[in-house]
Amino acid sequence: MSKPVLHSIHVYPLKAAGGHALREAVVEPWGLAGDRRWVLIDKNDKVVTQRPQPRMALSAVEQGPDGGILLSAPGREPLAVRVPEPTGTTTVEIWNDKVEGVAADASAHSWFSDYLGIGVRLVHLDDPAVRRPIDPEFARPGETVSFADGYPLLLTTLGSLDALNALIARGDRPGEGPLPMNRFRPNVVIEGTAAWAEDDWSRIAIGEVTFRVAKMCGRCVVTTTDQSTAERGREPLRTLALHRRFGDKLVFGQNLVPESPGSVRVGDPVRLLE
């Protein structure tokens, strides 16, 4: 087994929309710079994701140097969205949290509402340093997170994906595999480890940045969504239920909390600290 290294880096400027790969990323206390700083909410202020709206996978979001974004999606003209002025806030209900953000221009609301066929609003997280604490059961005082599901970064490994795909191939629905890593929407992907090695990690370093491994990542129906077509199947949840059930969670990947600032780069060595 070769020494583990950082294989790829991924950011998703708009939660639940398409992401893009980077060669290098700045690690901020609440996640990778630019990751999940935008979110869609419905008429009840609840976050909108691929769970009820799989077509969000087909929308692409490019990050601009000033924090603004460029939206694109099938059948839609691209739309540039600037970072809104923080003149007032809008409540975002994201799982068990209520977080204040700043609504984008009305043109952005209309653009996404027309694309998805439901009324939505686009909201920017203006101050991630104070807006949303991490679950205190797994956090230290003052730690915060963006509009990610619950933790600043998600880590996966190629070794575990290979093992999962081997299990899918031996199951009763082998035609649904092999699955690509984008089904799991990670931030950092590690190569050079044994399958499921990350289960036993408590603290790691990627290049110059150290991370605490907060908890395993429980997976949902989004992983069954083909990110290039928005079509859904049964895998990987069927196979995870048979082989990767921990309590009531079907697990793939680990949630990370940064312990130090810095940058990570593709090819950086990955060291197990605890």
PDB file of all heavy atoms in Angstrom, residues 210-248:
ATOM      1  N   THR A 210      -4.184  20.515  10.038  1.00  0.00           N
ATOM      2  CA  THR A 210      -4.623  19.398  10.875  1.00  0.00           C
ATOM      3  C   THR A 210      -6.136  19.446  11.039  1.00  0.00           C
ATOM      4  O   THR A 210      -6.753  20.516  11.047  1.00  0.00           O
ATOM      5  CB  THR A 210      -3.952  19.429  12.260  1.00  0.00           C
ATOM      6  OG1 THR A 210      -4.286  20.653  12.924  1.00  0.00           O
ATOM      7  CG2 THR A 210      -2.441  19.303  12.123  1.00  0.00           C
ATOM      8  N   PHE A 211      -6.719  18.254  11.175  1.00  0.00           N
ATOM      9  CA  PHE A 211      -8.166  18.116  11.271  1.00  0.00           C
ATOM     10  C   PHE A 211      -8.521  17.132  12.378  1.00  0.00           C
ATOM     11  O   PHE A 211      -7.842  16.119  12.570  1.00  0.00           O
ATOM     12  CB  PHE A 211      -8.761  17.573   9.968  1.00  0.00           C
ATOM     13  CG  PHE A 211      -8.542  18.431   8.760  1.00  0.00           C
ATOM     14  CD1 PHE A 211      -7.399  18.265   7.984  1.00  0.00           C
ATOM     15  CD2 PHE A 211      -9.476  19.381   8.390  1.00  0.00           C
ATOM     16  CE1 PHE A 211      -7.190  19.043   6.859  1.00  0.00           C
ATOM     17  CE2 PHE A 211      -9.279  20.164   7.266  1.00  0.00           C
ATOM     18  CZ  PHE A 211      -8.135  20.000   6.499  1.00  0.00           C
ATOM     19  N   ARG A 212      -9.616  17.401  13.052  1.00  0.00           N
ATOM     20  CA  ARG A 212     -10.214  16.436  13.968  1.00  0.00           C
ATOM     21  C   ARG A 212     -11.301  15.687  13.211  1.00  0.00           C
ATOM     22  O   ARG A 212     -12.101  16.293  12.472  1.00  0.00           O
ATOM     23  CB  ARG A 212     -10.822  17.172  15.163  1.00  0.00           C
ATOM     24  CG  ARG A 212     -11.337  16.242  16.265  1.00  0.00           C
ATOM     25  CD  ARG A 212     -11.783  17.017  17.476  1.00  0.00           C
ATOM     26  NE  ARG A 212     -13.088  17.654  17.286  1.00  0.00           N
ATOM     27  CZ  ARG A 212     -13.258  18.946  17.051  1.00  0.00           C
ATOM     28  NH1 ARG A 212     -12.226  19.750  16.943  1.00  0.00           N
ATOM     29  NH2 ARG A 212     -14.481  19.440  16.915  1.00  0.00           N
ATOM     30  N   VAL A 213     -11.323  14.370  13.343  1.00  0.00           N
ATOM     31  CA  VAL A 213     -12.381  13.566  12.724  1.00  0.00           C
ATOM     32  C   VAL A 213     -13.552  13.552  13.693  1.00  0.00           C
ATOM     33  O   VAL A 213     -13.480  12.948  14.761  1.00  0.00           O
ATOM     34  CB  VAL A 213     -11.884  12.148  12.410  1.00  0.00           C
ATOM     35  CG1 VAL A 213     -12.990  11.338  11.748  1.00  0.00           C
ATOM     36  CG2 VAL A 213     -10.649  12.197  11.512  1.00  0.00           C
ATOM     37  N   ALA A 214     -14.629  14.251  13.338  1.00  0.00           N
ATOM     38  CA  ALA A 214     -15.735  14.455  14.273  1.00  0.00           C
ATOM     39  C   ALA A 214     -16.623  13.221  14.389  1.00  0.00           C
ATOM     40  O   ALA A 214     -16.923  12.760  15.488  1.00  0.00           O
ATOM     41  CB  ALA A 214     -16.571  15.660  13.833  1.00  0.00           C
ATOM     42  N   LYS A 215     -17.057  12.691  13.252  1.00  0.00           N
ATOM     43  CA  LYS A 215     -17.957  11.539  13.284  1.00  0.00           C
ATOM     44  C   LYS A 215     -18.108  10.973  11.879  1.00  0.00           C
ATOM     45  O   LYS A 215     -17.825  11.644  10.886  1.00  0.00           O
ATOM     46  CB  LYS A 215     -19.339  11.902  13.848  1.00  0.00           C
ATOM     47  CG  LYS A 215     -20.128  12.868  12.984  1.00  0.00           C
ATOM     48  CD  LYS A 215     -21.414  13.313  13.674  1.00  0.00           C
ATOM     49  CE  LYS A 215     -22.431  12.222  13.827  1.00  0.00           C
ATOM     50  NZ  LYS A 215     -23.058  11.848  12.525  1.00  0.00           N
ATOM     51  N   MET A 216     -18.590   9.721  11.811  1.00  0.00           N
ATOM     52  CA  MET A 216     -18.901   9.101  10.533  1.00  0.00           C
ATOM     53  C   MET A 216     -20.038   9.849   9.855  1.00  0.00           C
ATOM     54  O   MET A 216     -20.881  10.464  10.516  1.00  0.00           O
ATOM     55  CB  MET A 216     -19.301   7.639  10.733  1.00  0.00           C
ATOM     56  CG  MET A 216     -18.189   6.746  11.228  1.00  0.00           C
ATOM     57  SD  MET A 216     -18.802   5.054  11.476  1.00  0.00           S
ATOM     58  CE  MET A 216     -17.270   4.188  11.792  1.00  0.00           C
ATOM     59  N   CYS A 217     -20.068   9.754   8.529  1.00  0.00           N
ATOM     60  CA  CYS A 217     -21.096  10.452   7.764  1.00  0.00           C
ATOM     61  C   CYS A 217     -22.209   9.485   7.383  1.00  0.00           C
ATOM     62  O   CYS A 217     -21.999   8.545   6.608  1.00  0.00           O
ATOM     63  CB  CYS A 217     -20.495  11.080   6.507  1.00  0.00           C
ATOM     64  SG  CYS A 217     -21.681  12.062   5.560  1.00  0.00           S
ATOM     65  N   GLY A 218     -23.393   9.704   7.926  1.00  0.00           N
ATOM     66  CA  GLY A 218     -24.563   8.925   7.538  1.00  0.00           C
ATOM     67  C   GLY A 218     -25.079   9.402   6.186  1.00  0.00           C
ATOM     68  O   GLY A 218     -25.153  10.607   5.929  1.00  0.00           O
ATOM     69  N   ARG A 219     -25.450   8.468   5.311  1.00  0.00           N
ATOM     70  CA  ARG A 219     -25.813   8.813   3.945  1.00  0.00           C
ATOM     71  C   ARG A 219     -27.320   8.757   3.720  1.00  0.00           C
ATOM     72  O   ARG A 219     -28.046   8.030   4.409  1.00  0.00           O
ATOM     73  CB  ARG A 219     -25.106   7.898   2.955  1.00  0.00           C
ATOM     74  CG  ARG A 219     -23.623   7.759   3.165  1.00  0.00           C
ATOM     75  CD  ARG A 219     -22.865   9.059   3.415  1.00  0.00           C
ATOM     76  NE  ARG A 219     -23.042  10.064   2.405  1.00  0.00           N
ATOM     77  CZ  ARG A 219     -22.041  10.792   1.894  1.00  0.00           C
ATOM     78  NH1 ARG A 219     -20.792  10.594   2.286  1.00  0.00           N
ATOM     79  NH2 ARG A 219     -22.295  11.727   1.012  1.00  0.00           N
ATOM     80  N   CYS A 220     -27.778   9.522   2.697  1.00  0.00           N
ATOM     81  CA  CYS A 220     -29.207   9.658   2.417  1.00  0.00           C
ATOM     82  C   CYS A 220     -29.478   9.361   0.950  1.00  0.00           C
ATOM     83  O   CYS A 220     -28.598   8.931   0.196  1.00  0.00           O
ATOM     84  CB  CYS A 220     -29.682  11.059   2.791  1.00  0.00           C
ATOM     85  SG  CYS A 220     -29.047  12.328   1.663  1.00  0.00           S
ATOM     86  N   VAL A 221     -30.685   9.662   0.500  1.00  0.00           N
ATOM     87  CA  VAL A 221     -31.124   9.344  -0.852  1.00  0.00           C
ATOM     88  C   VAL A 221     -30.337  10.097  -1.922  1.00  0.00           C
ATOM     89  O   VAL A 221     -30.293   9.663  -3.079  1.00  0.00           O
ATOM     90  CB  VAL A 221     -32.634   9.620  -0.993  1.00  0.00           C
ATOM     91  CG1 VAL A 221     -32.912  11.122  -0.945  1.00  0.00           C
ATOM     92  CG2 VAL A 221     -33.215   8.993  -2.248  1.00  0.00           C
ATOM     93  N   VAL A 222     -29.686  11.184  -1.556  1.00  0.00           N
ATOM     94  CA  VAL A 222     -28.888  11.918  -2.549  1.00  0.00           C
ATOM     95  C   VAL A 222     -27.840  11.017  -3.191  1.00  0.00           C
ATOM     96  O   VAL A 222     -27.533  11.152  -4.378  1.00  0.00           O
ATOM     97  CB  VAL A 222     -28.228  13.151  -1.904  1.00  0.00           C
ATOM     98  CG1 VAL A 222     -27.214  13.790  -2.853  1.00  0.00           C
ATOM     99  CG2 VAL A 222     -29.299  14.180  -1.533  1.00  0.00           C
ATOM    100  N   THR A 223     -27.303  10.066  -2.440  1.00  0.00           N
ATOM    101  CA  THR A 223     -26.268   9.181  -2.995  1.00  0.00           C
ATOM    102  C   THR A 223     -26.803   8.269  -4.081  1.00  0.00           C
ATOM    103  O   THR A 223     -26.029   7.707  -4.867  1.00  0.00           O
ATOM    104  CB  THR A 223     -25.639   8.320  -1.889  1.00  0.00           C
ATOM    105  OG1 THR A 223     -26.651   7.513  -1.274  1.00  0.00           O
ATOM    106  CG2 THR A 223     -24.960   9.181  -0.838  1.00  0.00           C
ATOM    107  N   THR A 224     -28.117   8.107  -4.159  1.00  0.00           N
ATOM    108  CA  THR A 224     -28.706   7.274  -5.223  1.00  0.00           C
ATOM    109  C   THR A 224     -28.978   8.077  -6.489  1.00  0.00           C
ATOM    110  O   THR A 224     -29.494   7.539  -7.461  1.00  0.00           O
ATOM    111  CB  THR A 224     -30.022   6.637  -4.759  1.00  0.00           C
ATOM    112  OG1 THR A 224     -31.027   7.655  -4.607  1.00  0.00           O
ATOM    113  CG2 THR A 224     -29.844   5.897  -3.444  1.00  0.00           C
ATOM    114  N   THR A 225     -28.640   9.361  -6.480  1.00  0.00           N
ATOM    115  CA  THR A 225     -28.926  10.263  -7.592  1.00  0.00           C
ATOM    116  C   THR A 225     -27.725  10.372  -8.515  1.00  0.00           C
ATOM    117  O   THR A 225     -26.636  10.791  -8.090  1.00  0.00           O
ATOM    118  CB  THR A 225     -29.279  11.668  -7.062  1.00  0.00           C
ATOM    119  OG1 THR A 225     -30.315  11.572  -6.087  1.00  0.00           O
ATOM    120  CG2 THR A 225     -29.722  12.563  -8.199  1.00  0.00           C
ATOM    121  N   ASP A 226     -27.907   9.993  -9.773  1.00  0.00           N
ATOM    122  CA  ASP A 226     -26.860  10.175 -10.776  1.00  0.00           C
ATOM    123  C   ASP A 226     -26.656  11.673 -10.962  1.00  0.00           C
ATOM    124  O   ASP A 226     -27.567  12.388 -11.395  1.00  0.00           O
ATOM    125  CB  ASP A 226     -27.296   9.524 -12.090  1.00  0.00           C
ATOM    126  CG  ASP A 226     -26.205   9.522 -13.147  1.00  0.00           C
ATOM    127  OD1 ASP A 226     -25.494  10.542 -13.270  1.00  0.00           O
ATOM    128  OD2 ASP A 226     -26.078   8.512 -13.865  1.00  0.00           O
ATOM    129  N   GLN A 227     -25.456  12.155 -10.666  1.00  0.00           N
ATOM    130  CA  GLN A 227     -25.204  13.589 -10.674  1.00  0.00           C
ATOM    131  C   GLN A 227     -25.133  14.178 -12.083  1.00  0.00           C
ATOM    132  O   GLN A 227     -25.132  15.402 -12.247  1.00  0.00           O
ATOM    133  CB  GLN A 227     -23.919  13.901  -9.907  1.00  0.00           C
ATOM    134  CG  GLN A 227     -23.977  13.551  -8.430  1.00  0.00           C
ATOM    135  CD  GLN A 227     -24.966  14.413  -7.662  1.00  0.00           C
ATOM    136  OE1 GLN A 227     -24.802  15.617  -7.549  1.00  0.00           O
ATOM    137  NE2 GLN A 227     -26.019  13.792  -7.132  1.00  0.00           N
ATOM    138  N   SER A 228     -25.099  13.320 -13.094  1.00  0.00           N
ATOM    139  CA  SER A 228     -25.061  13.823 -14.469  1.00  0.00           C
ATOM    140  C   SER A 228     -26.413  13.745 -15.170  1.00  0.00           C
ATOM    141  O   SER A 228     -26.601  14.360 -16.218  1.00  0.00           O
ATOM    142  CB  SER A 228     -24.027  13.045 -15.288  1.00  0.00           C
ATOM    143  OG  SER A 228     -24.370  11.679 -15.381  1.00  0.00           O
ATOM    144  N   THR A 229     -27.376  12.997 -14.604  1.00  0.00           N
ATOM    145  CA  THR A 229     -28.694  12.853 -15.224  1.00  0.00           C
ATOM    146  C   THR A 229     -29.846  13.192 -14.284  1.00  0.00           C
ATOM    147  O   THR A 229     -30.979  13.366 -14.741  1.00  0.00           O
ATOM    148  CB  THR A 229     -28.920  11.413 -15.718  1.00  0.00           C
ATOM    149  OG1 THR A 229     -28.974  10.526 -14.581  1.00  0.00           O
ATOM    150  CG2 THR A 229     -27.798  10.978 -16.660  1.00  0.00           C
ATOM    151  N   ALA A 230     -29.594  13.236 -12.970  1.00  0.00           N
ATOM    152  CA  ALA A 230     -30.600  13.452 -11.923  1.00  0.00           C
ATOM    153  C   ALA A 230     -31.538  12.255 -11.758  1.00  0.00           C
ATOM    154  O   ALA A 230     -32.532  12.341 -11.038  1.00  0.00           O
ATOM    155  CB  ALA A 230     -31.404  14.727 -12.158  1.00  0.00           C
ATOM    156  N   GLU A 231     -31.226  11.116 -12.395  1.00  0.00           N
ATOM    157  CA  GLU A 231     -32.039   9.915 -12.223  1.00  0.00           C
ATOM    158  C   GLU A 231     -31.608   9.171 -10.958  1.00  0.00           C
ATOM    159  O   GLU A 231     -30.441   9.220 -10.561  1.00  0.00           O
ATOM    160  CB  GLU A 231     -31.902   9.007 -13.441  1.00  0.00           C
ATOM    161  CG  GLU A 231     -32.450   9.620 -14.723  1.00  0.00           C
ATOM    162  CD  GLU A 231     -32.250   8.726 -15.924  1.00  0.00           C
ATOM    163  OE1 GLU A 231     -31.638   7.646 -15.761  1.00  0.00           O
ATOM    164  OE2 GLU A 231     -32.700   9.093 -17.026  1.00  0.00           O
ATOM    165  N   ARG A 232     -32.558   8.451 -10.364  1.00  0.00           N
ATOM    166  CA  ARG A 232     -32.288   7.746  -9.106  1.00  0.00           C
ATOM    167  C   ARG A 232     -32.416   6.239  -9.269  1.00  0.00           C
ATOM    168  O   ARG A 232     -33.221   5.744 -10.046  1.00  0.00           O
ATOM    169  CB  ARG A 232     -33.245   8.219  -8.011  1.00  0.00           C
ATOM    170  CG  ARG A 232     -32.857   9.578  -7.458  1.00  0.00           C
ATOM    171  CD  ARG A 232     -33.626   9.950  -6.234  1.00  0.00           C
ATOM    172  NE  ARG A 232     -33.014  11.123  -5.635  1.00  0.00           N
ATOM    173  CZ  ARG A 232     -33.675  12.080  -5.005  1.00  0.00           C
ATOM    174  NH1 ARG A 232     -34.980  11.985  -4.860  1.00  0.00           N
ATOM    175  NH2 ARG A 232     -33.040  13.118  -4.505  1.00  0.00           N
ATOM    176  N   GLY A 233     -31.566   5.540  -8.470  1.00  0.00           N
ATOM    177  CA  GLY A 233     -31.642   4.096  -8.388  1.00  0.00           C
ATOM    178  C   GLY A 233     -31.760   3.671  -6.942  1.00  0.00           C
ATOM    179  O   GLY A 233     -32.260   4.431  -6.102  1.00  0.00           O
ATOM    180  N   ARG A 234     -31.237   2.484  -6.640  1.00  0.00           N
ATOM    181  CA  ARG A 234     -31.263   1.997  -5.255  1.00  0.00           C
ATOM    182  C   ARG A 234     -29.883   1.990  -4.609  1.00  0.00           C
ATOM    183  O   ARG A 234     -29.767   1.943  -3.395  1.00  0.00           O
ATOM    184  CB  ARG A 234     -31.847   0.582  -5.215  1.00  0.00           C
ATOM    185  CG  ARG A 234     -33.332   0.518  -5.553  1.00  0.00           C
ATOM    186  CD  ARG A 234     -33.843  -0.896  -5.404  1.00  0.00           C
ATOM    187  NE  ARG A 234     -33.675  -1.397  -4.036  1.00  0.00           N
ATOM    188  CZ  ARG A 234     -33.810  -2.677  -3.692  1.00  0.00           C
ATOM    189  NH1 ARG A 234     -34.107  -3.584  -4.624  1.00  0.00           N
ATOM    190  NH2 ARG A 234     -33.652  -3.056  -2.449  1.00  0.00           N
ATOM    191  N   GLU A 235     -28.855   2.004  -5.435  1.00  0.00           N
ATOM    192  CA  GLU A 235     -27.502   1.992  -4.906  1.00  0.00           C
ATOM    193  C   GLU A 235     -26.972   3.418  -4.743  1.00  0.00           C
ATOM    194  O   GLU A 235     -27.337   4.309  -5.504  1.00  0.00           O
ATOM    195  CB  GLU A 235     -26.567   1.191  -5.827  1.00  0.00           C
ATOM    196  CG  GLU A 235     -26.894  -0.282  -5.940  1.00  0.00           C
ATOM    197  CD  GLU A 235     -26.648  -1.049  -4.643  1.00  0.00           C
ATOM    198  OE1 GLU A 235     -26.222  -0.438  -3.637  1.00  0.00           O
ATOM    199  OE2 GLU A 235     -26.893  -2.261  -4.643  1.00  0.00           O
ATOM    200  N   PRO A 236     -26.110   3.606  -3.700  1.00  0.00           N
ATOM    201  CA  PRO A 236     -25.446   2.610  -2.848  1.00  0.00           C
ATOM    202  C   PRO A 236     -26.186   2.272  -1.557  1.00  0.00           C
ATOM    203  O   PRO A 236     -25.654   1.510  -0.740  1.00  0.00           O
ATOM    204  CB  PRO A 236     -24.131   3.307  -2.515  1.00  0.00           C
ATOM    205  CG  PRO A 236     -24.554   4.736  -2.349  1.00  0.00           C
ATOM    206  CD  PRO A 236     -25.581   4.969  -3.442  1.00  0.00           C
ATOM    207  N   LEU A 237     -27.378   2.853  -1.323  1.00  0.00           N
ATOM    208  CA  LEU A 237     -28.014   2.656  -0.028  1.00  0.00           C
ATOM    209  C   LEU A 237     -28.337   1.201   0.242  1.00  0.00           C
ATOM    210  O   LEU A 237     -28.216   0.727   1.381  1.00  0.00           O
ATOM    211  CB  LEU A 237     -29.282   3.509   0.077  1.00  0.00           C
ATOM    212  CG  LEU A 237     -29.065   5.034   0.108  1.00  0.00           C
ATOM    213  CD1 LEU A 237     -30.384   5.739   0.354  1.00  0.00           C
ATOM    214  CD2 LEU A 237     -28.036   5.429   1.174  1.00  0.00           C
ATOM    215  N   ARG A 238     -28.725   0.462  -0.824  1.00  0.00           N
ATOM    216  CA  ARG A 238     -29.011  -0.955  -0.615  1.00  0.00           C
ATOM    217  C   ARG A 238     -27.794  -1.688  -0.078  1.00  0.00           C
ATOM    218  O   ARG A 238     -27.875  -2.442   0.897  1.00  0.00           O
ATOM    219  CB  ARG A 238     -29.481  -1.598  -1.919  1.00  0.00           C
ATOM    220  CG  ARG A 238     -29.748  -3.092  -1.795  1.00  0.00           C
ATOM    221  CD  ARG A 238     -29.830  -3.779  -3.131  1.00  0.00           C
ATOM    222  NE  ARG A 238     -29.830  -5.219  -2.947  1.00  0.00           N
ATOM    223  CZ  ARG A 238     -28.729  -5.945  -2.744  1.00  0.00           C
ATOM    224  NH1 ARG A 238     -27.545  -5.351  -2.712  1.00  0.00           N
ATOM    225  NH2 ARG A 238     -28.811  -7.260  -2.567  1.00  0.00           N
ATOM    226  N   THR A 239     -26.636  -1.464  -0.691  1.00  0.00           N
ATOM    227  CA  THR A 239     -25.418  -2.166  -0.265  1.00  0.00           C
ATOM    228  C   THR A 239     -24.889  -1.624   1.054  1.00  0.00           C
ATOM    229  O   THR A 239     -24.412  -2.399   1.906  1.00  0.00           O
ATOM    230  CB  THR A 239     -24.354  -2.063  -1.368  1.00  0.00           C
ATOM    231  OG1 THR A 239     -24.849  -2.740  -2.536  1.00  0.00           O
ATOM    232  CG2 THR A 239     -23.049  -2.696  -0.944  1.00  0.00           C
ATOM    233  N   LEU A 240     -24.983  -0.325   1.270  1.00  0.00           N
ATOM    234  CA  LEU A 240     -24.562   0.222   2.560  1.00  0.00           C
ATOM    235  C   LEU A 240     -25.409  -0.345   3.699  1.00  0.00           C
ATOM    236  O   LEU A 240     -24.905  -0.615   4.790  1.00  0.00           O
ATOM    237  CB  LEU A 240     -24.660   1.747   2.546  1.00  0.00           C
ATOM    238  CG  LEU A 240     -23.666   2.506   1.657  1.00  0.00           C
ATOM    239  CD1 LEU A 240     -23.970   4.001   1.679  1.00  0.00           C
ATOM    240  CD2 LEU A 240     -22.233   2.243   2.094  1.00  0.00           C
ATOM    241  N   ALA A 241     -26.705  -0.553   3.443  1.00  0.00           N
ATOM    242  CA  ALA A 241     -27.575  -1.119   4.478  1.00  0.00           C
ATOM    243  C   ALA A 241     -27.154  -2.530   4.861  1.00  0.00           C
ATOM    244  O   ALA A 241     -27.305  -2.950   6.018  1.00  0.00           O
ATOM    245  CB  ALA A 241     -29.021  -1.105   3.998  1.00  0.00           C
ATOM    246  N   LEU A 242     -26.600  -3.267   3.904  1.00  0.00           N
ATOM    247  CA  LEU A 242     -26.170  -4.640   4.178  1.00  0.00           C
ATOM    248  C   LEU A 242     -24.802  -4.713   4.829  1.00  0.00           C
ATOM    249  O   LEU A 242     -24.525  -5.635   5.610  1.00  0.00           O
ATOM    250  CB  LEU A 242     -26.141  -5.437   2.861  1.00  0.00           C
ATOM    251  CG  LEU A 242     -27.483  -5.690   2.194  1.00  0.00           C
ATOM    252  CD1 LEU A 242     -27.278  -6.321   0.823  1.00  0.00           C
ATOM    253  CD2 LEU A 242     -28.355  -6.582   3.080  1.00  0.00           C
ATOM    254  N   HIS A 243     -23.926  -3.754   4.522  1.00  0.00           N
ATOM    255  CA  HIS A 243     -22.527  -3.892   4.931  1.00  0.00           C
ATOM    256  C   HIS A 243     -21.959  -2.729   5.743  1.00  0.00           C
ATOM    257  O   HIS A 243     -20.896  -2.891   6.349  1.00  0.00           O
ATOM    258  CB  HIS A 243     -21.652  -4.053   3.676  1.00  0.00           C
ATOM    259  CG  HIS A 243     -21.998  -5.242   2.847  1.00  0.00           C
ATOM    260  ND1 HIS A 243     -21.587  -6.526   3.167  1.00  0.00           N
ATOM    261  CD2 HIS A 243     -22.737  -5.349   1.700  1.00  0.00           C
ATOM    262  CE1 HIS A 243     -22.043  -7.373   2.257  1.00  0.00           C
ATOM    263  NE2 HIS A 243     -22.749  -6.684   1.355  1.00  0.00           N
ATOM    264  N   ARG A 244     -22.641  -1.582   5.760  1.00  0.00           N
ATOM    265  CA  ARG A 244     -22.063  -0.408   6.424  1.00  0.00           C
ATOM    266  C   ARG A 244     -23.098   0.289   7.303  1.00  0.00           C
ATOM    267  O   ARG A 244     -23.183   1.503   7.348  1.00  0.00           O
ATOM    268  CB  ARG A 244     -21.526   0.570   5.366  1.00  0.00           C
ATOM    269  CG  ARG A 244     -20.354   0.052   4.565  1.00  0.00           C
ATOM    270  CD  ARG A 244     -19.076   0.020   5.385  1.00  0.00           C
ATOM    271  NE  ARG A 244     -18.695   1.385   5.784  1.00  0.00           N
ATOM    272  CZ  ARG A 244     -17.762   1.651   6.668  1.00  0.00           C
ATOM    273  NH1 ARG A 244     -17.118   0.682   7.286  1.00  0.00           N
ATOM    274  NH2 ARG A 244     -17.462   2.908   6.958  1.00  0.00           N
ATOM    275  N   ARG A 245     -23.850  -0.499   8.038  1.00  0.00           N
ATOM    276  CA  ARG A 245     -24.837   0.050   8.962  1.00  0.00           C
ATOM    277  C   ARG A 245     -24.210   0.184  10.347  1.00  0.00           C
ATOM    278  O   ARG A 245     -23.714  -0.791  10.920  1.00  0.00           O
ATOM    279  CB  ARG A 245     -26.077  -0.831   9.035  1.00  0.00           C
ATOM    280  CG  ARG A 245     -27.179  -0.243   9.919  1.00  0.00           C
ATOM    281  CD  ARG A 245     -28.353  -1.194  10.037  1.00  0.00           C
ATOM    282  NE  ARG A 245     -29.062  -1.362   8.773  1.00  0.00           N
ATOM    283  CZ  ARG A 245     -30.010  -0.540   8.349  1.00  0.00           C
ATOM    284  NH1 ARG A 245     -30.362   0.519   9.068  1.00  0.00           N
ATOM    285  NH2 ARG A 245     -30.623  -0.776   7.207  1.00  0.00           N
ATOM    286  N   PHE A 246     -24.232   1.398  10.868  1.00  0.00           N
ATOM    287  CA  PHE A 246     -23.749   1.667  12.220  1.00  0.00           C
ATOM    288  C   PHE A 246     -24.898   2.310  12.988  1.00  0.00           C
ATOM    289  O   PHE A 246     -25.234   3.476  12.756  1.00  0.00           O
ATOM    290  CB  PHE A 246     -22.533   2.608  12.196  1.00  0.00           C
ATOM    291  CG  PHE A 246     -21.298   1.991  11.611  1.00  0.00           C
ATOM    292  CD1 PHE A 246     -21.138   1.885  10.234  1.00  0.00           C
ATOM    293  CD2 PHE A 246     -20.282   1.504  12.430  1.00  0.00           C
ATOM    294  CE1 PHE A 246     -20.001   1.313   9.685  1.00  0.00           C
ATOM    295  CE2 PHE A 246     -19.139   0.939  11.892  1.00  0.00           C
ATOM    296  CZ  PHE A 246     -18.998   0.841  10.513  1.00  0.00           C
ATOM    297  N   GLY A 247     -25.538   1.524  13.875  1.00  0.00           N
ATOM    298  CA  GLY A 247     -26.735   2.015  14.527  1.00  0.00           C
ATOM    299  C   GLY A 247     -27.823   2.204  13.484  1.00  0.00           C
ATOM    300  O   GLY A 247     -28.137   1.297  12.713  1.00  0.00           O
ATOM    301  N   ASP A 248     -28.377   3.428  13.406  1.00  0.00           N
ATOM    302  CA  ASP A 248     -29.414   3.694  12.405  1.00  0.00           C
ATOM    303  C   ASP A 248     -28.863   4.437  11.198  1.00  0.00           C
ATOM    304  O   ASP A 248     -29.632   4.949  10.376  1.00  0.00           O
ATOM    305  CB  ASP A 248     -30.568   4.484  13.031  1.00  0.00           C
ATOM    306  CG  ASP A 248     -30.125   5.850  13.556  1.00  0.00           C
ATOM    307  OD1 ASP A 248     -28.911   6.105  13.632  1.00  0.00           O
ATOM    308  OD2 ASP A 248     -31.016   6.661  13.897  1.00  0.00           O
TER     309      ASP A 248
END
